[in-house]
Every structure is written in C-alpha cells, then in structure tokens.
Amino acid sequence: MDDKKKVIVVVVLAVIILAVGTFQLTSGSSAPAEPPKEAKKSDATKVSPIDEGPKNAEVATPLAMRDPFEPAEIASTLADPAPTPPSTPEPKRPTGVSNPIDLTGIGQLPNADIGIQPVEPPAPKDVFAYSLAGIVIGDRPAALFADGAGNQKLVREGGAIDGDARLVSISHGKVTVSYKGEKISITLGGNSSGN
C-alpha cells in the first residue's frame, strides 16, 4: 500500500510541475508585441533643442574600437592629448674651485665669554652585572647567577662571584651580595636593590 501512495504522489508532483511550466511558457507569448508607432508629421515639424554635448569634452570623447587581446597605447586613443608645459632651463652652476670665505674680520659672537660651561652627565653608576637565576636550599646552600651573555655560575654561600662580588647569605627567593663594599639584595628573577 505504501508503494502505491508514493507513486501517486510522484505522479501528482510531476503533473503540477508540467502545468506550471506550460502556464509560464504560454502566458509570456500569448500577447503579440506591438510594433512601434511611427512618428506623426506634426511631431517632425517641432523644433528640438540643440544638443550641445557634454560640458567636459575630454571625459566624453568616444574611444576607438580596439582588440582587447592586443596591447595598445592609451595616448593614441585620445582625440586631443593634453599639451606639455614648456620646460624651463636649469641655471648653470659655477665650475671650478671657489675661494674660501675670510672670517677674520667678523670678530666674536656677543656674550661669548660669560662663563657658561657645559654640564657633563654624571658618570654611570657601576651596577652588579649578574641576575639571580636559581637558589639551592639545603645542607650546602648555593645560588645560580647568570650574566648578560647567558653564562651561568653556581656559587656557594660565602663564595666569590667574581673579583668584586661575594655571596653573603641565601634565603627563600632572595640572596644578599656584597658588591664593592655595598650590600645588595637580589630576588629570584634578577631584581636588585642596594641596602
């Protein structure tokens, strides 16, 4: 029973589609197109305004026919190319060696001797060149220092870091370094502060 219903539905749909298609084809061509009306003689005698053309003639210039597959110069298709402005000659430059300017008769600048001396910037403070990279806590505590080039050095508590610095104490996340007579606290990650 189901197969019969399916066949009936398909047939009904096909008939509806054919009917709609036939209606569309016949409704568009049923009325013949009217031929255009011829102009009356009285309309021909009327005076039409004179077409002056576009106001900007360069924009509305008709282009010549060309093959789109062959390259062509754009300038050859223009009816009236724009005139080129006249060139101005460049002034001649003097040749040869020029005489130096004599500045001996000018004298000194005003207020040149009022005693203002340039201020020199302060000498850069010598800073500890290592950062704290790690800490080892235990029976023999040690700290791992890294310099600017990435070189690392493991130093035990009380040991020398370099000629000017010595590791004084180690605590959780922080070390104390004696650098050129100053005590510096460095936290893990490299932040240092002088005490």
Side-chain angles (χ1 to χ4, degrees), residues 8-159:
I8 293 172
V9 169
V10 169
V11 169
V12 169
L13 287 175
V15 169
I16 291 173
I17 291 173
L18 288 173
V20 169
T22 305
F23 176 75
Q24 286 181 347
L25 288 175
T26 58
S27 67
S29 63
S30 64
E34 292 183 21
K37 294 181 181 180
E38 294 182 18
K40 296 179 182 178
K41 290 183 181 180
S42 63
D43 290 341
T45 59
K46 289 183 181 177
V47 177
S48 63
I50 298 172
D51 185 18
E52 296 176 8
K55 296 194 185 242
N56 188 350
E58 290 181 6
V59 174
T61 304
L63 297 176
M65 294 294 291
R66 66 178 187 89
D67 185 6
F69 298 105
E70 287 186 25
E73 293 184 24
I74 294 175
S76 66
T77 61
L78 295 176
D80 185 23
T84 57
S87 62
T88 57
E90 290 189 25
K92 293 184 178 180
R93 295 185 181 179
T95 58
V97 180
S98 62
N99 295 331
I101 299 173
D102 184 22
L103 299 176
T104 55
I106 294 177
Q108 283 190 332
L109 293 174
N111 298 328
D113 56 349
I114 59 174
I116 298 175
Q117 299 295 326
V119 178
E120 292 184 22
K125 185 178 177 183
D126 193 19
V127 295
F128 185 64
Y130 293 93
S131 63
L132 183 62
I135 296 176
V136 177
I137 303 288
D139 294 338
R140 304 173 99 186
L144 182 64
F145 292 96
D147 63 4
N151 299 323
Q152 295 181 345
K153 187 179 225 182
L154 184 66
V155 180
R156 290 191 179 147
E157 190 175 30

